[in-house]
Amino acid sequence: MESPLMSTDDIPLHTIFGKAEAESVKVSNGGKWLAWLARSSGKGGVLDLWVAPLPLPSPGPKKEANRIPGARQLTAAEGRDICFSFHFTKDDKRIVYLRETTHGSELYHLYALNPLDDEDAFPMTTGHDLLAKYPSLTCALGFVGGEQLWLPESTPDLVVLATGRGSLMWDLSMLSLETGELTVLERNPCSTILGCARLILVLVFHVVVWSLGAVLGAITCGCITLPTNWLAPPPSAPSQYFVGTNGNVTGRAEVEISLQGIALRLTRRCPRKGSWLQVGPSILFADLNMQLMGSGPATGTLRLDVLDANEGSVAVHTCVSHDTTSYVKYPEGEVLFVDPQADIQTFISNPRSGEVEAFVVTRERSETVALNSPGALRFKHEFERLRDIILGIDGEEGETVMVVSRTMADDLWVMRSHSDTKAQRFFLAQPWSNGVGDHGSPSPVLLLSARPQLASLPLVCTRSVKITARDGVLLSAYLTLPKKGKGRVPLALVLHGGPAARDYAGYVPLLQLLASRHIGSLSVNYRGSTGYGKKFLKLGNGAVQGMNNDVEDARQWAIETGIADPDKIAIIGGSWGGYLALGGATCIAENDEPQKRRYAAVVAIVPPVTVGAADKRKAFRSDPLVKRYWRQIYGPEVSSNKASAERISPLYRLEHLRGNRLLLIHGEDDPRVPREHGDAVAAAARSMGLVGAHLTYAREGHSIRREPNVLHMWSMVMKFLCLQLDLPPPPAVNSQLIEGHTAYMQWASSPNLFEG
């Protein structure tokens, strides 16, 4: 129980940040099963796999709240959630899932549970590790990009997946679910020393031919030119594969190296010749919309779909035709879909044909937009009808509904809804079978709610706002204010990581927690954020100071509009957002006043504290593509000049922290931003007599995920914020909920930072 002194607006911490009661609900391909992740039976803090048979008892689950009839637990994981993601095989006999080899490592193995009909075989601790014979291998998920895992319809005992050693340059392999035997289908040139040597030779030949062509053109005044790219095409290596429903490779995303720089090119396989043909123009990394690559595992949205194999017609998700990303048909170059205001966030495809039927885009709030084609007409009608029914079931303004899972026959859908004040709810729906229907199909049935306890709690709504930066750039942001109080309020600037990411409206746990403690929040999509098109994203390239300027401009906006109490502003960020939080506190923004305290409290979670040439620590397993990305973000000056890099590195600006209160948090096994970043700041701050603390969590990576650690971390953050913002202390957290946490206070300038 939380403290009995809790006010009516205070929300118990564990109801917001504890593990959800249900998430990731899916229907099996043949409509035989439902599966989802849920808290383990008899213990808390871990999400396990559960299944229930279909069809549901008519007229629906009239049963214990948030329970499905016939549900049973498949796994009994210990200490951490069972998986990152899971899938049914096409024959409904198995569930396969991706699980980190060690918690926080971002290295994955594929596991299987089979057969699902054998009730006596479950629950299992973790299932069967199909890659146990290959301990150094990782599969399907990288630091960025899409999930590269395919389950062929014709061979349900086989899985096609990307495999590698941790780099973003993958092999393509086939794995037997029966024997665990792994067969490499396509070897990446970068996987072997010989392959790398061949790439270098091809690059040298390309440079020589290009140079000869340039000389010949100069001598003949351009009358004679060499077809350089035809004679000596630039070398490339695949970083992502595209596989059809039959398990055959249909395309690749390749990293191309030429004298013009590093570029991304999409290629399709020509079935008749067995060769690879380029689709559309190559995209220089400097012109690449990182919406396509993402900023974390399974966040990339690159896509290549074969429309007509005989005619060589394909459609790709690209950023070459418009400012925002678009879905384009080649070789014609016909734009099939583009939203002029927002990048494509998600694709919705027909489960049988693979044909794209709709897209999810987010301007201010996420919405599903159907493709304007005859094949998508049925989906459009069905989605809109079922969405309206769901919104009629206790729906509210701003609530978003999406289709998240479908059977192969397309006769059952799992639909998900959520809003600012409601966590995810999952519904089972039966769409019309003939495309026009008679309105006779059953209404969607509410299956599960992620956090049903929130229904009676005083959550608040978020509104979209626009902020004009000092150079005239318009920034999109989300403002969330507490229910009570008039006039100016304590405010937290909340900054997303990435920077190739963005904030969204909807149910956001941290914003609701802050509001319940009478703290408003402003979530800023600073320049370089994804989702708003290539032009806005490229404003962040080589403009780290510009991002810091945006944060300071957002703070000024909150004061000038009368929203924020200027003496009670906090700043909170994770990963790159943590860097920007430290940047705000150490006055990196242009024309900032170093002697004037900006923030009453600074919370930086897993932040990089040195950038560019000032950062000598190895991160991201030294992947060359990740290095290239960060060089693009930093720009050539910061990337190569240590003095320039130090000027925008918080570690070298800590003298400006005087008067601020700092809380640093880090996972001790972080593969992206090593813990040494936090250690360096803590050591320097201690020697300078600054006020703050450094909290680390053992056996955690780039995000703190184990439930006792999550609850402990946010309880410490809220104690820190409430004390520094001169607010009543938050309710105490039941010690049993954080029992077993792995926190260690590496440095604290005073024991009074968390308790008044």
Side-chain angles (χ1 to χ4, degrees):
M1 294 178 60
E2 306 284 353
S3 167
L5 300 178
M6 184 172 55
S7 76
T8 55
D9 280 349
D10 279 322
I11 298 174
L13 180 67
H14 70 269
T15 64
I16 291 182
F17 278 107
K19 296 292 184 181
E21 288 200 13
E23 62 180 47
S24 303
V25 182
K26 295 183 180 182
V27 61
S28 66
N29 297 285
K32 186 176 180 180
W33 302 100
L34 283 172
W36 64 97
L37 294 172
R39 295 178 72 93
S40 296
S41 176
K43 63 177 181 178
V46 173
L47 293 179
D48 272 303
L49 275 164
W50 291 66
V51 294
L54 289 174
L56 297 174
S58 181
K62 302 292 185 182
K63 34 72 179 176
E64 181 185 354
N66 224 36
R67 293 291 182 268
I68 296 179
R72 56 189 173 93
Q73 185 176 335
L74 294 181
T75 59
E78 297 179 357
R80 58 183 171 123
D81 296 344
I82 188 62
C83 65
F84 178 91
S85 64
F86 69 90
H87 305 275
F88 285 100
T89 55
K90 298 298 184 183
D91 58 4
D92 281 11
K93 291 182 178 180
R94 299 179 177 89
I95 288 178
V96 296
Y97 55 94
L98 292 163
R99 178 176 171 86
E100 283 179 304
T101 54
T102 57
H103 184 68
S105 67
E106 299 193 44
L107 299 169
Y108 299 87
H109 274 193
L110 186 69
Y111 287 71
L113 295 169
N114 58 293
L116 294 180
D117 287 317
D118 186 1
E119 296 189 21
D120 295 332
F122 301 103
M124 300 178 66
T125 304
T126 57
H128 175 49
D129 182 358
L130 296 168
L131 293 175
K133 293 187 292 186
Y134 313 94
S136 62
L137 211 61
T138 185
C139 70
L141 296 169
F143 280 122
V144 297
E147 182 178 290
Q148 299 189 69
L149 172 69
W150 300 271
L151 298 159
E153 185 177 353
S154 57
T155 53
D157 293 335
L158 298 175
V159 176
V160 178
L161 73 172
T163 54
R165 306 285 175 178
S167 166
L168 294 177
M169 311 303 286
W170 299 92
D171 297 331
L172 188 69
S173 302
M174 180 172 287
L175 180 67
S176 169
L177 298 179
E178 294 285 352
T179 65
E181 289 301 315
L182 189 71
T183 304
V184 176
L185 301 177
E186 291 204 15
R187 180 75 69 183
N188 195 302
C190 294
S191 294
T192 63
I193 295 176
L194 180 59
C196 290
R198 293 177 63 183
L199 278 178
I200 293 172
L201 289 175
V202 172
L203 177 60
V204 170
F205 183 59
H206 170 76
V207 171
V208 169
V209 173
W210 189 92
S211 301
L212 289 174
V215 171
L216 183 60
I219 293 174
T220 62
C221 298
C223 295
I224 301 177
T225 59
L226 288 178
T228 305
N229 284 346
W230 180 80
L231 289 173
S236 65
S239 63
Q240 186 165 328
Y241 299 91
F242 306 101
V243 174
T245 56
N246 59 1
N248 293 329
V249 186
T250 57
R252 299 189 306 204
E254 302 175 0
V255 178
E256 174 186 283
I257 306 172
S258 70
L259 288 176
Q260 285 72 43
I262 297 178
L264 180 77
R265 74 181 180 201
L266 297 178
T267 59
R268 67 173 179 88
R269 184 184 286 280
C270 182
R272 296 174 183 172
K273 300 179 180 179
S275 58
W276 295 94
L277 300 177
Q278 184 165 340
V279 177
S282 298
I283 309 169
L284 288 173
F285 261 62
D287 296 324
L288 183 63
N289 187 331
M290 294 307 294
Q291 175 81 6
L292 302 175
M293 303 301 295
S295 61
T299 58
T301 57
L302 272 174
R303 188 178 183 99
L304 184 148
D305 297 312
V306 176
L307 303 181
D308 190 319
N310 294 325
E311 296 182 1
S313 177
V314 297
V316 300
H317 186 202
T318 184
C319 61
V320 297
S321 63
H322 292 74
D323 180 45
T324 53
T325 63
S326 54
Y327 190 55
V328 181
K329 179 182 179 181
Y330 285 103
E332 297 90 340
E334 176 188 356
V335 177
L336 301 178
F337 178 83
V338 64
D339 185 289
Q341 299 178 49
D343 295 324
I344 298 172
Q345 176 184 333
T346 306
F347 291 79
I348 299 175
S349 303
N350 184 281
R352 175 67 69 179
S353 67
E355 175 191 355
V356 172
E357 296 176 326
F359 310 84
V360 176
V361 296
T362 302
R363 302 177 190 107
E364 294 183 355
R365 294 183 180 271
S366 298
E367 58 182 300
T368 299
V369 183
L371 186 65
N372 186 23
S373 71
L377 181 62
R378 172 181 175 276
F379 174 85
K380 180 178 186 297
H381 288 166
E382 288 306 282
F383 171 75
E384 291 176 353
R385 182 180 71 86
L386 295 169
R387 176 199 62 195
D388 292 345
I389 294 173
I390 289 172
L391 291 177
I393 306 174
D394 194 26
E396 61 183 39
E397 185 178 354
E399 187 162 352
T400 298
V401 179
M402 296 182 186
V403 178
V404 294
S405 181
R406 299 157 76 176
T407 58
M408 290 293 288
D410 211 20
D411 55 357
L412 285 175
W413 293 357
V414 174
M415 304 182 75
R416 181 186 68 206
S417 75
H418 74 98
S419 67
D420 296 346
T421 60
K422 289 179 184 173
Q424 297 177 118
R425 297 186 298 166
F426 296 92
F427 297 81
L428 186 66
Q430 294 182 10
W432 298 326
S433 59
N434 59 8
V436 293
D438 59 1
H439 300 274
S441 59
S443 295
V445 173
L446 176 61
L447 293 171
L448 295 164
S449 296
R451 299 183 186 275
Q453 312 95 318
L454 297 179
S456 60
L457 295 175
L459 304 187
V460 296
C461 292
T462 293
R463 64 185 175 96
S464 176
V465 297
K466 300 293 184 182
I467 299 171
T468 302
R470 64 189 65 185
D471 58 358
V473 172
L474 201 61
L475 308 175
S476 293
Y478 295 102
L479 179 67
T480 308
L481 296 176
K483 278 183 177 290
K484 292 185 178 180
K486 295 181 180 180
R488 295 181 181 271
V489 300
L491 185 79
L493 265 66
V494 179
L495 306 174
H496 67 72
R502 62 162 290 174
D503 279 316
Y504 296 89
Y507 173 73
V508 182
L510 176 57
L511 307 189
Q512 295 297 337
L513 183 65
L514 290 168
S516 77
R517 305 316 190 231
H518 314 293
I519 304 170
S521 57
L522 181 62
S523 305
V524 185
N525 284 313
Y526 47 83
R527 69 191 63 209
S529 299
T530 53
Y532 298 99
K534 184 166 55 177
K535 181 180 178 181
F536 185 77
L537 183 135
K538 289 177 67 176
L539 288 175
N541 289 348
V544 173
Q545 191 165 64
M547 298 182 195
N548 283 278
N549 292 348
D550 290 346
V551 174
E552 172 58 17
D553 293 344
R555 188 189 71 89
Q556 291 281 4
W557 175 89
I559 296 171
E560 292 169 0
T561 53
I563 293 169
D565 181 338
D567 295 323
K568 293 185 177 182
I569 299 180
I571 188 167
I572 306 172
S575 190
W576 185 253
Y579 161 79
L580 291 175
L582 288 171
T586 56
C587 307
I588 289 178
E590 291 176 301
N591 303 319
D592 213 343
E593 300 177 37
Q595 301 307 316
K596 188 173 181 180
R597 187 183 82 158
R598 295 301 194 200
Y599 299 100
V602 182
V603 180
I605 304 171
V606 296
V609 302
T610 51
V611 299
D615 184 12
K616 300 302 181 183
R617 299 166 182 83
K618 290 184 178 181
F620 297 92
R621 292 186 278 273
S622 300
D623 187 277
L625 287 184
V626 177
K627 283 185 176 181
R628 177 64 182 81
Y629 166 73
W630 284 110
R631 182 176 178 82
Q632 182 168 297
I633 293 297
Y634 297 143
E637 179 70 15
V638 171
S639 296
S640 58
N641 187 294
K642 185 178 180 182
S644 297
E646 288 180 353
R647 280 195 290 271
I648 60 170
S649 294
L651 178 62
Y652 298 99
R653 301 179 59 87
L654 293 180
E655 69 274 8
H656 301 306
L657 265 177
R658 297 191 187 278
N660 293 276
R661 303 290 188 268
L662 170 65
L663 175 57
L664 280 169
I665 297 173
H666 230 109
E668 295 188 7
D669 299 324
D670 190 338
R672 292 176 178 246
V673 182
R675 173 195 146 178
E676 287 78 11
H677 279 256
D679 290 340
V681 168
R686 181 189 293 111
S687 67
M688 296 170 67
L690 301 181
V691 179
H694 183 210
L695 188 62
T696 64
Y697 289 88
R699 299 184 298 281
E700 292 281 11
H702 193 58
S703 58
I704 311 302
R705 299 205 306 263
R706 287 190 170 101
E707 185 177 70
N709 289 339
V710 171
L711 296 177
H712 181 272
M713 181 184 79
W714 287 115
S715 69
M716 296 294 284
V717 169
M718 294 314 300
K719 287 179 183 179
F720 177 75
L721 288 178
C722 289
L723 183 62
Q724 309 309 323
L725 298 176
D726 196 24
L727 295 170
V733 177
N734 187 339
S735 60
Q736 292 181 350
L737 296 175
I738 60 174
E739 183 178 349
H741 72 77
T742 61
Y744 183 78
M745 190 66 71
Q746 301 289 344
W747 162 66
S749 61
S750 166
N752 298 325
L753 282 172
F754 303 96
E755 305 288 349

